[in-house]
Amino acid sequence: MTPLERALRERIEAEGPITVEAFMEACNDFYYATRDPLGAAGDFTTAPEISQMFGELVGASLADCWHRSGSSARAIYAEIGPGRGTLAADALRAMRSAGFAGEAHLVETSPKLREKQASSVPHARFHDRVEQLPGVPLLLAANEFLDALPARQWIGDEERKVAIANDRLSFTPDGEVHEDSPARREAVAAIARHLVRNGGVALIIDYGHARTAPGDTLQAVRRHEYADPLADPGEQDLTSHVDFEAVGHAAEQAGALVSTLVTQGDWLRHLGIEHRAQSLIASNPDKRHDVEQALHRLCGRDEMGELFKVMAIRSPDWPEPAGFAA
């Protein structure tokens, strides 16, 4: 039994069953505070870790939007949930080559991951919350951040909870699940409010569905394999699929403009990832297989290309980033 499971059992015995939202929040708070979960030795791999092409195109998109908005010298690069800092490093390299000289600000609460990020992005400034970012235009990226925020689950009018049955953690009740995530909607609203007040654009990249629909999407990943979400609390990554319709509404209600939702594969291809791949192969012929494999993982319909979606949120006086036109 993990230390967190022992604490959760004591909480349930004292207070009664806890909501899925409370369970997910407790598990992920412990999980991310105590480890680097990324890479072959960790539990999962994100797009920036697959290939530099991903971060470079995120940076190119942000830099292009910054240029078309007037190239504000006050603008900063910001990232929420920046992992090891790989995306920030690759994006900033592309942005610097395009003339962007702004600071890098990373929103991260995990001490373990802050250490990695400080090494990848020297001179980065750290914050615990979006609301702490400076009141200046943002060029913001959030890749696989929203999926880890806690979600609520409902069976009809009854909220689903985690209880103890037969000396094991178990869900109650059973039935068709409807999910909602107030934490996710508030995070997006906070980003949107900042953009409306100060200018800028945010790229939201995550896996999920385009329209609100019923279904249980809570999942656990450990050592690159799916696992029982109730097993070993705090020792595996818990996520649920992002409801992009709800996310878009939260941003619009805060006064921001929201792009058309596109798949990650289409977005990267519109930005020229296939040309970038050929350029990398031409410079490093011995890496052809690795580059082509990375391209497929990022864009393939059977890999990340279809399930992962990209949405842009922007200030009303900023242009829409490239890659979202119908």
Side-chain angles (χ1 to χ4, degrees):
M1 185 182 300
T2 67
L4 181 61
E5 180 173 354
R6 188 173 295 109
L8 288 170
R9 282 171 173 262
E10 291 173 356
R11 178 177 173 184
I12 292 169
E13 288 168 356
E15 304 174 7
I18 61 174
T19 64
V20 169
E21 180 183 44
F23 177 78
M24 191 174 175
E25 181 176 27
C27 290
N28 280 351
D29 283 351
F30 183 90
Y31 177 81
Y32 282 100
T34 55
R35 75 206 67 215
D36 171 6
L38 294 157
D43 292 321
F44 58 88
T45 301
T46 59
E49 305 291 334
I50 292 172
S51 171
Q52 69 187 72
M53 296 185 290
F54 182 81
E56 289 171 346
L57 289 176
V58 168
S61 175
L62 292 173
D64 171 69
C65 194
W66 171 69
H67 272 301
R68 288 187 287 119
S69 72
S71 306
S72 169
R74 299 173 65 239
I76 61 172
Y77 173 83
E79 188 174 338
I80 310 176
R84 291 175 167 173
T86 305
L87 170 56
D90 291 338
L92 282 165
R93 185 173 63 253
M95 294 168 75
R96 301 295 188 219
S97 69
F100 176 76
E103 297 176 341
H105 290 248
L106 306 180
V107 179
E108 178 62 71
T109 57
S110 167
K112 293 282 187 183
L113 290 174
R114 278 194 180 191
E115 290 178 14
K116 299 280 188 180
Q117 294 156 12
S119 175
S120 298
V121 191
H123 312 300
R125 297 176 60 184
F126 290 95
H127 308 276
D128 292 327
R129 304 186 344 266
V130 169
E131 290 85 351
Q132 295 173 342
L133 289 169
V136 297
L138 297 184
L139 300 168
L140 186 144
N143 179 64
E144 286 199 61
F145 167 70
L146 293 180
D147 61 72
L149 294 182
R152 301 177 76 178
Q153 293 191 329
W154 301 84
I155 310 290
D157 295 330
E158 185 176 351
E159 185 161 13
R160 200 180 194 199
K161 296 183 178 182
V162 176
I164 299 173
N166 300 319
D167 199 35
R168 299 183 53 159
L169 295 176
S170 64
F171 290 117
T172 181
D174 291 324
E176 184 178 61
V177 173
H178 293 260
E179 294 180 335
D180 180 35
S181 178
R184 205 170 280 160
R185 286 187 278 107
E186 177 49 39
V188 170
I191 293 169
R193 287 192 295 267
H194 192 294
L195 296 175
V196 171
R197 285 195 305 268
N198 304 289
V201 62
L203 296 175
I204 309 296
I205 308 166
D206 225 312
Y207 56 87
H209 39 271
R211 296 284 178 262
T212 302
D216 179 3
T217 71
L218 179 65
Q219 63 186 37
V221 173
R222 190 173 189 184
R223 300 190 184 99
H224 302 271
E225 299 285 345
Y226 290 111
D228 177 358
L230 295 179
D232 303 320
E235 300 301 319
Q236 53 192 12
D237 180 48
L238 292 184
T239 63
S240 65
H241 288 206
V242 175
D243 178 350
F244 278 97
E245 183 176 10
V247 164
H249 286 163
E252 289 172 339
Q253 287 170 358
L257 298 183
V258 176
S259 73
T260 301
L261 186 69
V262 297
T263 66
Q264 177 175 293
D266 284 347
W267 187 69
L268 290 172
R269 281 189 287 267
H270 286 155
L271 293 178
I273 192 171
E274 290 162 329
H275 293 293
R276 180 57 178 145
Q278 290 305 312
S279 175
L280 288 174
I281 291 169
S283 300
N284 305 275
D286 56 324
K287 299 291 186 181
R288 171 181 287 276
H289 176 73
D290 292 342
V291 173
E292 290 178 342
Q293 186 177 52
L295 180 64
H296 179 68
R297 287 187 67 186
L298 292 172
C299 297
R301 292 174 61 90
D302 58 336
E303 292 282 351
M304 301 176 75
E306 192 76 15
L307 177 60
F308 280 72
K309 313 292 194 301
V310 188
M311 172 182 283
I313 301 168
R314 71 185 195 276
S315 163
D317 56 356
W318 270 56
E320 183 170 89
F324 294 95

